Amino acid sequence: MIVSRWASQEAGKDPNTTAEELTETANRLLHRQFIARGDLGGTAHFERVQRHLDYFQDLFASLGFRLVFNDGWGYVGFVSPQAYGNARVPTQETILLLCLRLLYSEGAQKGYFVDGSADILVDEEEVQTVYSSFGARRLKPGELREILTQFKRRGLVGFDQSHSLNVDVEVSLRPTLLEVVDESFLSRIAAWREGSSSQSEPPDTDGERPSTTAKFDAGTEAASTRLG
């Protein structure tokens, strides 16, 4: 494994950490975006970041990202510092991400947390219902599961991947969703859902209705999430 001199210098401050371990944790974060303390193998990475917080903050800042460390809810990750600065996300993924964020907010307001954690439990049918409320066609089971699998890798949701597509899987929504969806954009969408039940399509960034069902303006896609 190739390690930098900065990792070697940082490891020299902690007899319980090696430069290789610091590099491994950085690579894991870059690959996943969020790591939870309670995940399999996550505790070591979480505690490593905790002990070397300044190092990891500077490291990700050098890449143009903001490190997120939440000791109370037990996760660490990174986001684009501004919603407009992140990579574009495909339309289906953007809409689904907004749906999950809305479901999380609604569940949190009602106190539907799982076993004292910060997770909210929903099922795939609930996700499909909210997704359809944006004027989009229902996702095929394979499409939905594929996107959820990508979000699981990023540390945004959790679910049992062993179930077949014919089974309505329960999905654990994680508080990391709060980090990647712009709050102001979420408020706009929530207001639209409440005030325009007779309409089938959300407004785009210019306040006009798009001509095609469920087609967000490309600028909206980039502005709505802080995915790395």
Side-chain angles (χ1 to χ4, degrees):
M1 175 184 293
I2 299 176
V3 299
S4 70
R5 59 186 174 89
W6 297 285
S8 298
Q9 290 172 356
E10 182 67 20
K13 305 174 186 178
D14 182 358
N16 298 315
T17 303
T18 67
E20 287 77 11
E21 289 173 333
L22 291 173
T23 303
E24 180 187 10
T25 294
N27 284 335
R28 178 67 65 89
L29 280 170
L30 282 171
H31 177 66
R32 294 185 179 273
Q33 189 167 2
F34 288 98
I35 297 174
R37 180 169 49 197
D39 285 346
L40 181 64
T43 301
H45 293 293
F46 181 88
E47 293 181 348
R48 203 169 289 153
V49 173
Q50 187 176 40
R51 293 197 306 271
H52 301 271
L53 191 56
D54 289 343
Y55 167 78
F56 282 101
Q57 286 175 335
D58 290 343
L59 176 62
F60 278 87
S62 70
L63 300 174
F65 296 116
R66 176 172 62 86
L67 189 78
V68 175
F69 182 82
N70 192 311
D71 191 25
W73 286 348
Y75 65 80
V76 60
F78 68 92
V79 295
S80 298
Q82 296 181 355
Y84 287 95
N86 70 306
R88 294 179 184 271
V89 181
T91 302
Q92 282 187 334
E93 293 181 23
T94 299
I95 301 175
L96 186 58
L97 184 61
L98 293 171
C99 293
L100 299 180
R101 177 64 168 83
L102 284 169
L103 283 168
Y104 185 92
S105 294
E106 292 170 356
Q109 289 173 3
K110 297 175 183 177
Y112 292 164
F113 297 109
V114 180
D115 298 330
S117 72
D119 291 2
I120 302 292
L121 196 64
V122 298
D123 58 42
E124 287 180 308
E125 183 57 34
E126 291 178 82
V127 176
Q128 289 276 25
T129 298
V130 176
Y131 187 87
S132 298
S133 76
F134 281 91
R137 66 167 178 81
R138 284 177 63 91
L139 290 168
K140 297 177 181 178
E143 292 176 326
L144 176 58
R145 194 71 60 84
E146 180 179 358
I147 298 175
L148 288 176
T149 298
Q150 295 178 33
F151 289 167
K152 180 179 181 180
R153 180 182 62 80
R154 289 180 175 270
L156 302 174
V157 303
F159 67 95
D160 187 348
Q161 292 182 253
S162 66
H163 291 300
S164 72
L165 296 178
N166 297 323
V167 176
D168 189 24
V169 171
E170 289 188 325
V171 181
S172 180
L173 307 181
R174 296 187 166 181
T176 48
L177 288 165
L178 304 177
E179 305 285 355
V180 298
V181 176
D182 181 72
E183 183 68 31
S184 63
F185 186 84
L186 181 68
S187 299
R188 287 180 57 200
I189 291 297
W192 169 80
R193 290 180 69 215
E194 294 173 0
S196 59
S197 57
S198 62
Q199 300 174 344
S200 62
E201 298 170 347
D204 65 13
T205 51
D206 297 321
E208 300 176 355
R209 304 191 65 76
S211 59
T212 304
T213 301
K215 292 294 184 182
F216 281 100
D217 176 80
T220 304
E221 294 177 27
S224 61
T225 68
R226 297 177 186 270
L227 293 176

